[in-house]
Amino acid sequence: MKKIYIFLVVAILAVLLIGCGSDSESDSAQGKSDGKKTETFKVGYMPNYASMNSVVAGIETGSFEEQGLEVELVEFADGPTIIAALESGSIDAGYIGPGAHVLPIQGQAKIFAFSHLGNADEVIGNTEKGVKTIEDLKGKEIGVATGTSSETILDLTLQEAGISKDDVTLVDMDASAIVTAMVSGGVDAVATWSPNTNTIKEEMGDKAEMLTNNARYAEQFPSIASWVVSPSYAEENKETIEKFTKGLYAGMEYHIDNPEEVAKWVAKQSAVEEDAVLAQTGDGDWKKPEEILTMLEDGTIEQYYQTQQENFIESGRLTEEDKVDVSEYLMLENMKKAAE
């Protein structure tokens, strides 16, 4: 009888222990389910420091994860291609340089975050082809990726020199082909951006003459870089956009304080040499979130976009009929909330 009693006690204890184990496992599973749900967010970028610094810093430091976002990066050659990908739905957001801002003005995208004013674009002449000054561009063949910031810097350069586009031969080419065309002598000059500009000058040496850059036209044509989404995504996903912007601005602050570390991360992501990326860390006038907030509150950023639109009209890339209030394509409230 005693043996039976001991057996029953052991059996009861075993059941209790199994029950506790089950409760523990259930609690663990419940704890996981109570955790913040992670949302995948696909982002289009171009393989340069200006495009990647904030988003890569946000990924590496966990600022997007804190917002419940898992950011996936997708590489593109230029801004217009990124906007086309937004329209197709293959990405959720993307970075654009100055030239592609024509498209948000025309209603093809919404700008949800100001990135920076850039200084990455240059017009470079081949001195062996007789291009040493901007006036020497007349009658020459010039490589350019149309619809991008390189076309904008070229337009400004030709205007300053008093040269019309009819006086030159524009060779429209993919951004990746510009370096080869310039170095091989296939064109007389190019309008392009970093890191292409750095590669061209390194490979050509004294034969490459930098004729103009963004800084030359900063007051009359602010070289704005922005983050964009499609109009439909902007309408349906305001909360997700705000989360991404907060993570982006946290990354922005980090890269300003730690440019060398972020340059290493950018180099790894874009599969280029670290030295090449470090050479790009001066390609923009980087601002911290609190500075951006001040610029939003005093109207500086809104004025940047207004001036940009007016310049597009003056250069002929837009018409007066295309003119719209900047509030139609700027998500200013999102910018303010994220920067606060």
Side-chain angles (χ1 to χ4, degrees), residues 293-312:
L293 182 59
T294 298
M295 294 163 68
L296 285 164
E297 291 175 340
D298 67 17
T300 298
I301 285 180
E302 199 168 350
Q303 186 57 53
Y304 283 159
Y305 288 99
Q306 183 63 50
T307 301
Q308 181 189 59
Q309 186 178 160
E310 291 168 356
N311 283 324
F312 281 141

Side-chain angles (χ1 to χ4, degrees), residues 6-22:
I6 293 172
F7 175 78
L8 288 173
V9 170
V10 171
I12 292 169
L13 287 173
V15 169
L16 289 173
L17 286 171
I18 292 170
C20 290
S22 298

